[in-house]
Amino acid sequence: MAKLCRLFAAVLFLALSAMSSIASATNYTLWINGRTGGGVVGDYNSFTYWGPSSTAAGINKKSVNWDGYNSISSQNGKIRDALDCFCTGSNWCYVATHSAGDLMMGYTMANYGGSTRTVKNATANASGQCGDAGAGTQVGWNIKWVRAASGAGGGSELSDVGSWSTSEPLVKDLKTTTARAMYNHNETRNVWFYMYAGAKGTFYSGILPGQDDEAVAYHSSGGVSGSAGAAFCNPSDWFCNDLTMGTAANEGGSTKWSYHSVSFRDDAEAYNHYANSNWQGIISVVRTAMVSSAI
């Protein structure tokens, strides 16, 4: 009888421990900005780049701020700090990116997604770094998926032709051939990148091939593979190949990078590139998706 009681107590202890572990797990929604920045670096509650911080944007939302000016490699530690803080141990993250934030996140996963990370306690200091949770280490981060608003993982022709200031280190990274050669875009550590492509171009959109949102063309925002950008359009446009939905090959046979899927194609040409400090443009479509699916 005593043995049975001890066995029961041990099973109860394990069950309670498991329940405690589940109860302490937290999901976070991380927003990673693009070029120009704006939020206070290290302050995960500074949403200046996006819009009012009171706007719903996913469960336990955090703004992962970097300066949006210097090179991807020099600023990448800011993103790793945030992923260590909120996406290790029993915690999981949903990630949203905008423009060069896609290039940043892709670079992070390809180069560091298989590295050993120390489990952190999700309590950040002024520099955006969290303390050790005392729970050891793990490989990579716990990421549910990434949703990219106007993803610039494939670069932008505005960088190629110098429409943006060529003195900016980030602009050099955003050249189409440079961005596409920067890391292995097919290596996402099995994390899906869901792409949201805007198409409300403007008068200078002739610089950008195919459909675009004023800053990034479909070849990039649609996650199309290859060493340089090509022209892709909506099905209503007869003069270039269609960007297809999901993971399907595009019209003409070009393919998307592995674990990249087009979730939204702006067939109505209604969304441009810019947040306008109010969660607008193509960002508004991703925000709605984050609110409805990040739980």
Side-chain angles (χ1 to χ4, degrees), residues 10 13 15 18 38 44 69 104 120 142 151 161 165 212 216 230 242 283:
F13 174 78
Y44 296 121
Y69 175 88
M104 180 68 85
K120 300 293 184 176
N142 307 327
V161 302
S165 172
D212 68 85
V216 177
D242 296 351
I283 292 166

Side-chain angles (χ1 to χ4, degrees), residues 2-18:
K3 257 187 202 181
L4 187 60
C5 288
R6 285 197 297 272
L7 179 60
F8 176 77
V11 170
L12 181 62
F13 174 78
L14 290 173
L16 290 173
S17 296

Side-chain angles (χ1 to χ4, degrees), residues 24-30 59-60 83 85-95 138 141-145 191 295:
S24 64
T26 304
N27 290 340
Y28 293 92
T29 302
L30 307 186
I59 188 169
N60 297 318
L83 296 177
C85 274
F86 304 112
C87 319
T88 55
S90 59
N91 299 333
W92 283 78
C93 290
Y94 303 91
V95 179
Q138 66 178 68
W141 299 283
N142 307 327
I143 298 173
K144 300 276 191 178
W145 35 250
V191 172
I295 57 176

Side-chain angles (χ1 to χ4, degrees), residues 150-216:
S150 187
S156 172
E157 285 74 14
L158 296 187
S159 285
D160 293 352
V161 302
S163 292
W164 292 326
S165 172
T166 55
S167 65
E168 294 180 34
L170 178 61
V171 168
K172 296 176 183 178
D173 282 353
L174 284 169
K175 290 183 177 181
T176 52
T177 53
T178 302
R180 288 170 174 272
M182 188 178 294
Y183 59 91
N184 180 3
H185 289 58
N186 293 304
E187 180 55 272
T188 70
R189 312 295 168 176
N190 300 335
V191 172
W192 280 97
F193 280 56
Y194 295 109
M195 313 303 290
Y196 290 70
K200 189 178 181 181
T202 189
F203 69 93
Y204 54 73
S205 292
I207 296 170
L208 298 160
Q211 224 84 46
D212 68 85
D213 64 1
E214 300 186 28
V216 177

